Amino acid sequence: MTPVHLLHRAGQTAEPRLLEEPAVRFGLGGFALFVTAGVITALDLPAPLGTAVVLLVTAAAALPLTRALACGTGIAGWAFAEGFALHAYGELGLAPADLALLAGFVLLALAAARRTS
């Protein structure tokens, strides 16, 4: 990882900004999913609507990521949807329908991701 600075000084060469680091973008995507899970739980959204909201946030969070990190975002999105939109209290199910939903989340995140690595 390269050193990252938040501010650039006059006369310095451009260095990567903090928000351009892949790990930071991955973390921000996870935070967005965490907040989304809290909102859908607080609003008590119906399961299909809550799942759709988490799916959209997952796709948006995967946009600036590489495919490898997008795969992790897809898995995290599925876990938040499964644990807070479909089931209560963070329970994850592994029935065939749940695994199909996992595949859908990962494939959507991979499709939304940048086309590098």
Side-chain angles (χ1 to χ4, degrees):
M1 185 185 282
T2 59
V4 179
H5 301 283
L6 292 174
L7 301 174
H8 293 282
R9 294 190 180 114
Q12 285 185 333
T13 60
E15 293 182 18
R17 293 199 178 269
L18 183 62
L19 292 178
E20 294 172 2
E21 290 290 324
V24 172
R25 289 182 178 190
F26 180 72
L28 289 173
F31 179 71
L33 288 168
F34 178 77
V35 170
T36 302
V39 169
I40 64 172
T41 301
L43 296 177
D44 197 25
L45 295 178
L49 179 60
T51 302
V53 169
V54 175
L55 189 63
L56 290 173
V57 172
T58 301
L63 284 173
L65 300 176
T66 62
R67 287 184 173 186
L69 291 175
C71 185
T73 301
I75 293 170
W78 168 79
F80 279 113
E82 186 75 19
F84 297 99
L86 296 175
H87 303 294
Y89 307 113
E91 296 175 3
L92 301 179
L94 295 176
D98 299 323
L99 296 178
L101 186 64
L102 170 61
F105 266 85
V106 171
L107 289 174
L108 179 73
L110 287 173
R114 285 191 335 210
R115 300 292 182 233
T116 58
S117 54

